[in-house]
Amino acid sequence: MVHLVTAGLFTGGVLLIVLGFRTVVQPMVGVVLLGVALLLRPRPGRLDAELPTLRHVDAPALFDLVDRVTDAAGVRRVDAIQLGPEFSVTVTHYGIRRKRCLVLGFPLWAAHPTRKPIAAVAHALGRLSGHDLRGDAFVGTALESLNAMARTTRAGNNAHIPSGAPAHSFRAGDVAGGASLFNARTRKGEWLLSIPRAAAAATARLLSWLILPATRRAEFDADDLAARMASTEAAIAALQDRRLARAVGIEVHRLAIATRTLKGDRSAAAAQEALWDKVARYSESLREKRGCDETTEPDGIGPVAGPAGLPSEPLRMARLAHEPRRGATITLDELDRNRIEDELRDPKEVLTRKVMRDCVPLTQ
C-alpha cells in the first residue's frame, strides 16, 4: 500500500502538471504531490564510502568463513564486507538489486579471538532467513521510506531566528521585523509539514506493529543459528556482550583522542596498532567486571520485552540456556585466524586512520 500510494502520488502529480498546464492551481497541486512522492520514494542503500570495503578477491579466507555461515543459514551470500568502528555486526543492503554487505565491527573482532565473532556473524545473518521482514525488498523499503519521510519533514534547530536586537543597532526595527516575518513563515511551514510527518510516522508504527510477530520469530531463529554454528555458550556470551557496545564505543572514542594527542615518542603506526590492543583489554576487563564469561549462564529472565516490543536479551539468553546444549559446527583454527588477520591488515589501517580522524559517533 505504501508503494502504491507513492506511485499514485507521482502519477497524479505528473498528470496534473501536464493536463492542467494552462491553469495555475492544478500544476501547483501537482508539484506538491510530486514533492510528497519524492519524500516517499524507495531509497536504495549505499555503501559507506569511508569504510574499507572488501570483496571476495580481497579476503578469500574471511569470505569463506562468512559463506559457510550463510550456506548453513540457507540465505543468499553477502556481496561485500566492510570494517566498522562499532562493537557490533550488522547486515545492510545497497544498490537497486539490494546487494548485501556485512558490516563487521572491528572492536568486536579484535576483542574475541575464538567463537564469539562467529556467533555474532551468525546472528546477523540469521535474521535474513526470511522471517525478518525489516530486510524484505518490499516491506523493508516501505518502512525505510516512511521513516526517511518523517525525518526529512522534521523541523531543524536553525528554523528560528531570535527577534530581539539591541535598540542602538543599525536599523534594529527592520532586523526585528524581518526575524518575526521569517519565524511566522517558519511556523506556517512547520504546521503544513506536520501533516505528512504525522501520517508517515503513524504508518511506520502501524507497519512495525504488523510485522512484529515475524520480527520476534526472526530474533529467535537467529539465536538458534548462532548456537548451532558457534555453540550455545558462545551464542549466550555474544548476547551478553551486546550490553558492552556503548561502553566500548565510548572507550574507542576516548582512546582515539588520547592516542592522537598523547602518543609521545611512538610512531603513528605503533600508536594506532596499540589502539585495538587497548580496546581488546578494555572489553575483557568489562566482561570480567560484569560477569560476562563464556561459561556464564543467565540467572533470571528479567524483562520479557525489549525495545520496540522485541524479545529482551535476558529472555533470549534464558531460552538458549534451557535448550539442549549444542557444540560448534564452524570453528576458526589458528591458521585460518592468521590468514584472516593478514587479509584485514590493510583495511584495518584504513579504519584506524578514520577512527583517529573522526573518533566514533556516540549514540544514546
Side-chain angles (χ1 to χ4, degrees):
M1 290 179 62
V2 172
H3 294 313
L4 287 176
V5 168
T6 304
L9 290 172
F10 178 79
T11 304
V14 171
L15 291 178
L16 285 175
I17 294 175
V18 174
L19 300 181
F21 186 75
R22 296 181 180 274
T23 66
V24 177
V25 176
Q26 291 184 14
M28 293 179 61
V29 175
V31 170
V32 173
L33 295 182
L34 286 180
V36 178
L38 180 64
L39 294 175
L40 272 176
R41 73 190 187 280
R43 292 165 171 80
R46 297 180 181 179
L47 292 175
D48 192 334
E50 294 191 349
L51 295 182
T53 304
L54 299 172
R55 307 290 180 178
H56 198 285
V57 295
D58 303 320
L62 179 60
F63 268 87
D64 178 68
L65 173 64
V66 176
D67 289 344
R68 288 159 63 189
V69 178
T70 55
D71 293 343
V75 299
R76 178 166 52 88
R77 294 182 174 182
V78 299
D79 302 283
I81 297 177
Q82 288 189 318
L83 290 188
E86 292 83 12
F87 192 80
S88 62
V89 180
T90 57
V91 178
T92 62
H93 297 84
Y94 66 97
I96 301 297
R97 298 174 58 187
R98 290 183 63 80
K99 295 182 178 180
R100 291 175 176 174
C101 174
L102 179 72
V103 183
L104 179 61
F106 193 75
L108 186 145
W109 177 268
H112 304 304
T114 53
R115 294 172 294 174
K116 289 181 185 176
I118 299 178
V121 170
H123 185 273
L125 294 173
R127 292 179 176 177
L128 306 176
S129 60
H131 295 131
D132 193 353
L133 298 178
R134 292 173 297 181
D136 184 76
F138 291 99
V139 179
T141 53
L143 191 58
E144 292 170 2
S145 299
L146 291 170
N147 290 327
M149 180 178 178
R151 289 193 305 269
T152 306
T153 54
R154 187 180 298 116
N157 295 329
N158 57 347
H160 178 79
I161 297 179
S163 57
H168 59 274
S169 301
F170 178 71
R171 306 190 70 173
D174 294 339
V175 173
S180 300
L181 181 61
F182 175 83
N183 293 333
R185 291 178 177 176
T186 299
R187 286 191 295 270
K188 292 179 182 178
E190 171 63 16
W191 183 82
L192 291 175
L193 289 176
S194 64
I195 300 175
R197 180 175 65 248
T203 307
R205 286 194 296 269
L206 175 61
L207 184 56
S208 299
W209 178 76
L210 289 173
I211 67 174
L212 185 58
T215 307
R216 290 172 177 167
R217 184 178 178 185
E219 293 288 349
F220 290 137
D221 289 346
D223 293 339
D224 293 339
L225 178 66
R228 292 200 311 270
M229 298 298 100
S231 79
T232 300
E233 291 78 9
I236 294 175
L239 286 174
Q240 289 174 328
D241 282 353
R242 291 164 66 97
R243 304 174 181 178
L244 311 180
R246 175 164 172 76
V248 173
I250 294 175
E251 181 65 10
V252 174
H253 188 94
R254 187 192 68 82
L255 287 174
I257 297 176
T259 304
R260 187 172 57 191
T261 56
L262 304 172
K263 65 180 181 180
D265 297 333
R266 295 177 299 171
S267 64
Q272 294 174 6
E273 184 66 27
L275 172 68
W276 302 113
D277 294 336
K278 294 179 180 177
V279 172
R281 290 196 297 269
Y282 180 77
S283 302
E284 187 62 30
S285 65
L286 278 183
R287 195 172 301 107
E288 293 176 355
K289 181 179 179 181
R290 301 189 182 188
C292 296
D293 190 71
E294 282 191 3
T295 58
T296 301
E297 295 184 6
D299 296 329
I301 294 179
V304 175
L310 296 177
S312 65
E313 292 170 3
L315 173 64
R316 292 160 58 188
M317 289 187 289
R319 175 178 171 272
L320 288 174
H322 289 87
E323 288 188 350
R325 296 284 172 166
R326 295 172 177 174
T329 58
I330 296 180
T331 57
L332 193 64
D333 57 25
E334 190 66 24
L335 179 61
D336 292 336
R337 178 79 184 192
N338 292 335
R339 289 176 57 196
I340 295 177
E341 290 294 338
D342 291 338
E343 296 170 351
L344 295 181
R345 182 171 291 108
D346 293 339
K348 181 178 69 173
E349 294 179 359
V350 176
L351 177 66
T352 305
R353 287 195 296 268
K354 170 181 166 50
V355 171
M356 297 291 291
R357 184 192 68 201
D358 304 332
C359 296
V360 178
L362 301 180
T363 57
Q364 297 296 329

